[in-house]
């Protein structure tokens, strides 16, 4: 399909979002300042809508298990998602927003015609800088947690639990507390207690972690589709 009008710039305030449909695909139109993004409204981890997910810098966070997706590229930025979401090209034409089913290459930018007092720019810039710093800190913490959890190997499959797709989410809480939501390859997995213990110990060895809590869930159930390409290669699955 070509570009089709979906809304006017005035309909979407800064930080706002609008549910739209692009070529029969549920999508989300998001505005950050002067920039507009359109992404598929579907978390690739569990199929839930991203509609109400918080914005972290230029990423949207799944409200259920915490997977984050880049608004421009759709790339999955952290576990538990391993696949990205679709993005859609956006154009601004005379204060009207048009969206195509072609992949986005860059966010669309609207021209701000109304004068903005210079004294109002500083708080906005400071707020954006703080949000960016927070997003970077959260991403660094996630990388640290997942690196630690990759040390935990499923003794039956001999693949680490991150690449197996057993980790559904890692959340940092106050006071050095970390909460992990994870699953097992089957409810009756005999190595389950060992894996849970090792996951907790791997995190608590980090200087930034005081206590790690592991919460097991079987919803959604684990399937081989959750494995990374590295895990598939190791197990000979093509």
């Amino acid at each position: 399909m070509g570009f089709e009008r979906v809304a006017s710039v005035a309909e979407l305030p800064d930080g706002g979002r609008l549910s739209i449909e692009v070529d029969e695909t549920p999508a989300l139109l998001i505005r950050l300042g002067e920039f507009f993004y359109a992404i598929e409204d579907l978390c690739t981890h569990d199929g839930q809508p991203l509609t109400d997910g918080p914005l972290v810098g230029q990423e949207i966070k799944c409200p259920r298990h915490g997977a984050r997706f880049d608004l421009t590229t759709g790339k999955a930025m952290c576990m538990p998602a391993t696949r990205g979401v679709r993005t859609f090209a956006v154009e601004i034409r005379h204060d009207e927003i048009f969206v195509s089913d072609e992949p986005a290459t860059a966010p669309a930018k609207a021209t701000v015609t109304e004068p903005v007092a210079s004294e109002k720019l500083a708080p906005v810039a400071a707020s954006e800088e703080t949000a960016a710093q927070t997003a970077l800190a959260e991403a660094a913490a996630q990388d640290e947690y997942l690196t630690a959890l990759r040390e935990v190997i499923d003794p039956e499959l001999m693949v680490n639990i991150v690449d197996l797709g057993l980790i559904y989410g890692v959340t940092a809480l106050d006071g050095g507390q970390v909460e992990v939501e994870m699953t097992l390859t089957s409810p009756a997995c005999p190595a389950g207690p060992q894996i849970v213990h090792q996951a907790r110990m791997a995190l608590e060895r980090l200087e930034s972690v005081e206590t790690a809590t592991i919460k097991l869930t079987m919803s959604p159930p684990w399937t081989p589709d959750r494995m990374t390409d590295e895990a598939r290669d190791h197990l000979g699955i093509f």
Side-chain angles (χ1 to χ4, degrees):
M1 58 171 273
F3 281 91
E4 294 184 357
R5 181 193 179 280
V6 294
S8 67
V9 170
E11 290 179 61
L12 208 61
D14 185 12
R17 61 193 75 187
L18 180 67
S19 294
I20 60 175
E21 192 171 278
V22 182
D23 196 22
E24 300 184 352
T25 300
L28 199 59
L29 181 66
I30 298 172
R31 178 177 182 176
L32 291 179
E34 300 176 3
F35 296 96
F36 294 78
Y37 308 81
I39 64 167
E40 182 180 7
D41 190 10
L42 184 71
C43 177
T44 56
H45 163 239
D46 60 6
Q48 296 299 308
L50 296 169
T51 309
D52 298 322
L55 298 173
V56 183
Q58 291 185 335
E59 300 171 3
I60 188 168
K61 185 176 181 179
C62 177
R64 184 168 182 183
H65 292 118
R68 299 196 315 276
F69 301 92
D70 185 279
L71 293 177
T72 300
T73 65
K75 180 180 178 181
M77 304 304 293
C78 72
M79 297 290 286
T82 58
R83 292 182 294 108
V85 296
R86 292 179 64 190
T87 62
F88 304 103
V90 181
E91 287 187 359
I92 308 299
R93 305 174 184 173
H94 305 293
D95 292 332
E96 299 292 325
I97 307 171
F98 290 77
V99 176
S100 166
D101 62 350
E102 292 294 322
T105 56
K109 183 177 181 180
T111 302
V112 179
T113 56
E114 63 273 19
V116 181
S118 59
E119 61 270 16
K120 293 183 179 180
L121 293 177
V124 173
S127 175
E128 291 177 349
E129 183 177 356
T130 300
Q133 291 173 345
T134 300
L136 288 173
E138 289 183 352
Q142 286 284 326
D143 288 342
E144 182 183 32
Y145 301 149
L146 294 177
T147 297
L149 290 171
R150 282 192 170 91
E151 299 175 4
V152 181
I153 306 299
D154 184 303
E156 294 182 317
L157 299 177
M158 297 307 296
V159 178
N160 73 75
I161 61 176
V162 175
D163 286 346
L164 275 178
L166 300 184
I167 304 301
Y168 283 179
V170 183
T171 305
L173 307 174
D174 293 335
Q177 309 295 309
V178 173
E179 184 175 283
V180 178
E181 185 174 11
M182 64 174 291
T183 192
L184 300 171
T185 54
S186 71
C189 176
Q194 174 186 346
I195 292 173
V196 169
H197 174 72
Q198 291 181 351
R200 184 173 67 252
M201 296 302 295
L203 288 170
E204 291 182 349
R205 282 195 291 268
L206 297 174
E207 292 184 5
S208 60
V209 177
E210 184 69 25
T211 304
T213 302
I214 310 297
K215 292 187 175 182
L216 276 179
T217 180
M218 296 299 162
S219 178
W222 179 87
T223 68
D225 290 340
R226 293 189 46 78
M227 292 190 294
T228 63
D229 290 340
E230 290 79 3
R232 292 172 182 275
D233 290 342
H234 179 83
L235 297 174
I237 300 174
F238 303 100

